Amino acid sequence: MAFKKEHTVATYPMKHYLENNPWRIVENGFHREYNEVTESLMSLGNGRMGQRGNFEEKFTGKTLQGNYVAGVYYPDKTRVGWWKNGYPEYFAKVLNAANWIGIDIDIEYESLDLNHCEVRDFHRELNMEEGYLERSFVAVLKSGKELRVDAKRFCSIVDDEAGAIRYAITPLNFDAKITITPYLDGAIRNRDANYDETFWDEVRKETAYGEAYIEMRTRKTGFHVATGMCVSIEQDGQRVDYQSQPIKYEKYVANRISLDCHQGQETAIFKYAVNLSSLNYDPDTIIQDAHKYIQRITRKGFDKMLFEQKQAWADKWKTNDIVIDGDIDAQQGIRFNIFQLNQTYTGEDERLNIGPKGFTGEKYGGSTYWDTEAYCLPFYLATADQKVAKNLLVYRYKQLGKAIENGQKLGFTNGAALYPMVTMNGEECHNEWEITFEEIHRNGAIAYAIYDYVRYTGDEQYLAEYGLEVLLAISRFWCQRINWSKDKQQYVMLGVTGPNEYENNVNNNWYTNYIAAWTLRYTLEAIGKIKALDADRYVELVDRLQIRPEELTLAEQITEKIYLPYDEDKAVFLQQEGFLDKDLMPVTDIPDGQRPINQNWSWDRILRSCFIKQADVLQGLYFFEDEFDTDTLRRNFDFYEPMTVHESSLSPCVHSIQASKLGMKEKAYEMYLRTARLDLDDYNNDTEDGCHITSMAGTWLAVVKGFGGMRIENNQLVLNPYCPEQWRALSFKIRFRGAMVQVTATQQDVTVANASAMPITLLVHGQSVTVAGNSQQTVAAVAVA
Ligand code: BGC
């Protein structure tokens, strides 16, 4: 078995037990100690449901069971030491739903449980190219019986509320009656439950020959989820008419099947399952709907479903793939990120969003963070149909009412909106005062995403239809949150937490002040645009939203007189007022063994230190790069990067993009590696909780905006690609306004292939290039700045 090579950039011990392979994540030999990490990595999903890489058969070893149904959550009662007015009552948890994969195997008096037998030839593999998970092994039971298992399963992206499993057993040295118990288990708990409560009540359950259904309802939120299964069995490739005994316990339903199995004979169990939720089905008929769904997919059959799955994934890869020639580690890393992003969000449903862990774990509640707007949106803009990115924006538009309520709760008036830091349905559910009340820059990211979408798509109509309402409400918030300082004779913003959460309650965080003033500027611009584009809509909006001239004047004044802390000597923006009073030192001065500091230092020590969790000033220079020259970026990068510990997975990608822009290729590559294989190598020692889904979009950004230098300027695609020295070639695809281009950078040149029928004119290294439909052009590579 091939092991991955050491990277030099990790500060924590990495795990090296998975094989490098360009299209697959491969575990050879069972690594029990890392099982929860592997379960996270081998998660499957289809935008509507997601399943960790758990075993089908019983397993009493280390495991985090996880099946998640999109949009179904539980408002777990808040747990805080000291209640503060304005705190939300609950923290929404993504729910661990009924186990649909379970198949218990009992051989006479012994159960198959990899925790209690010898395991040989274990192989577990996530096939990212075709979208399935497979596993095979030989279990040697205490009695000496040897059983071979070959399992394959997927969450269908074609029938996106369904999953299918083929689980084959072959006795290798015995004949026996084997009891096979496919089941649905609703007695599932969240490991992260605040008060160890169960979140589900049973509504009803049913069994029929080879079929079973269980309907569960969430406590408090009243979501219904009907999980159904249908089982068929083949021996030696022939369908078997088996006898099955229905089993029903509380929250559990199963069919117990006993079969004579002979040495060398393969018995294949096909389990088809669905998870339907009351987000899409009427609770009165949800069980019948599950029944119909099950009938439909069972008729289709496993092979056809898998065939369709492979086709559908092939289509996704056609527009999504990134090819890295010359480095399998890097290739595997980027595909893993793209695969997981596509498994998490498909953009079909504007009520859904992207949790930081997607469907791969419980942590972070599966809720929506600013990560979506700041990191994920550009990925979906460039790789999927326009409606996918639009739905991400419409999600926030639909939650505007709740954001205004949230603002009111905190004392803001006049329709001022404060979007939540963490949310499921638009209500805030984060409850640390320094984040809930102070990490308000998230409002700015939501405004910025509107700008980013319009810039990319050219869909200015969006501003009139939805965008302006959101911009105005956010601007109203900023106008009230900012105050006039008589002392400074400028507008200031007090008591905030910037993106760098290793500082709290600071005054005049440069990034927050900048994005607030920028939002005001953009809102004024949007109003002007709508007036010019659609006079009737303008009048209607001014009237309905009660836009008053004096508030526009105030907004303008703030943009002109916002305080943006700056140090003349160093010629850098200050992360916040007083930043230079800190004992400034580079991260390399942190003694060995003390990183990550958030696991080794007291919070007090972290807060007083100069160390930066993630891009903060640099986040602003990334968003608003057009407003600053390269020297400014360089000075700020050189000042802040050495103090950044990158203890948020969202951090390295921004630094990688900026390092690329500055021509710091080694740094760009180092930062890229840190993001691309974050989960595969378990850099932060926390992949067992789930994968860092939102930062995966950052990895894509590091390639496409970083190495690819992709930007949109004046409605035109701009590329400044280079191929990192460690690779032979880099190739990525982007969709832009109806065109589909593939950009390939080698050490020598850059080729732009236009896969669409229409011609496209773009800037490559500053040179205007027109590529006719279905043709390509090559230009020489340019040394990066
Ligand atoms: C980061 C936040 C981020 C959150 C969820 C935190 O560690 O500091 O910026 O929104 O994780 O990804």
Side-chain angles (χ1 to χ4, degrees), residues 534-644:
D534 187 344
D536 293 346
R537 177 72 175 158
Y538 169 77
V539 172
E540 191 253 311
L541 283 171
V542 169
D543 187 45
R544 183 160 58 80
L545 304 174
Q546 306 252 306
I547 306 179
R548 289 170 289 112
E550 56 277 18
E551 60 179 337
L552 302 185
T553 310
L554 174 64
E556 214 170 300
Q557 281 167 356
I558 293 176
T559 63
E560 284 161 13
K561 293 208 156 173
I562 187 79
Y563 175 60
L564 296 166
Y566 181 75
D567 182 72
E568 297 285 349
D569 288 346
K570 296 191 163 41
V572 295
F573 301 114
L574 293 182
Q575 189 179 269
Q576 71 245 11
E577 259 185 301
F579 186 79
L580 293 182
D581 293 339
K582 286 175 180 273
D583 187 5
L584 302 182
M585 63 182 88
V587 166
T588 45
D589 281 7
I590 299 175
D592 282 353
Q594 297 191 8
R595 291 178 67 192
I597 56 172
N598 67 19
Q599 288 173 25
N600 290 289
W601 288 8
S602 72
W603 191 240
D604 165 66
R605 186 172 175 193
I606 290 175
L607 288 179
R608 283 183 289 108
S609 82
C610 68
F611 298 118
I612 301 171
K613 181 181 183 189
Q614 66 201 91
D616 194 301
V617 167
L618 296 180
Q619 182 76 34
L621 293 176
Y622 161 66
F623 275 169
F624 305 112
E625 61 177 358
D626 297 344
E627 304 183 4
F628 301 94
D629 58 28
T630 311
D631 285 344
T632 305
L633 174 62
R634 190 183 306 278
R635 279 194 309 274
N636 283 277
F637 190 89
D638 289 348
F639 182 67
Y640 286 109
E641 197 282 330
M643 289 185 278
T644 307

Side-chain angles (χ1 to χ4, degrees), residues 356 364 369-371 421 439 499 501 613-614 648 650 694:
Y364 289 109
Y369 285 64
W370 74 303
D371 305 26
M421 185 67 193
E439 204 175 335
E501 292 175 342
K613 181 181 183 189
Q614 66 201 91
S648 159
L650 300 175
T694 47

Side-chain angles (χ1 to χ4, degrees), residues 23 43-47 126-133 153-158 305-321 335-346 379:
W23 277 111
S43 293
L44 293 172
N46 58 15
L126 178 70
N127 184 320
M128 303 185 285
E129 188 172 17
E130 302 186 327
Y132 64 83
L133 173 66
R153 73 163 182 257
F154 55 93
C155 288
S156 171
I157 58 171
V158 178
M305 283 179 79
L306 183 58
F307 174 77
E308 290 178 355
Q309 174 84 344
K310 292 177 180 179
Q311 297 277 307
W313 271 105
D315 286 346
K316 284 213 189 268
W317 286 113
K318 263 187 216 151
T319 56
N320 274 235
D321 196 18
R335 286 207 173 116
F336 179 67
N337 289 268
I338 296 170
F339 179 70
Q340 290 294 0
L341 284 164
N342 276 292
Q343 292 207 113
T344 307
Y345 186 74
T346 58
F379 169 79

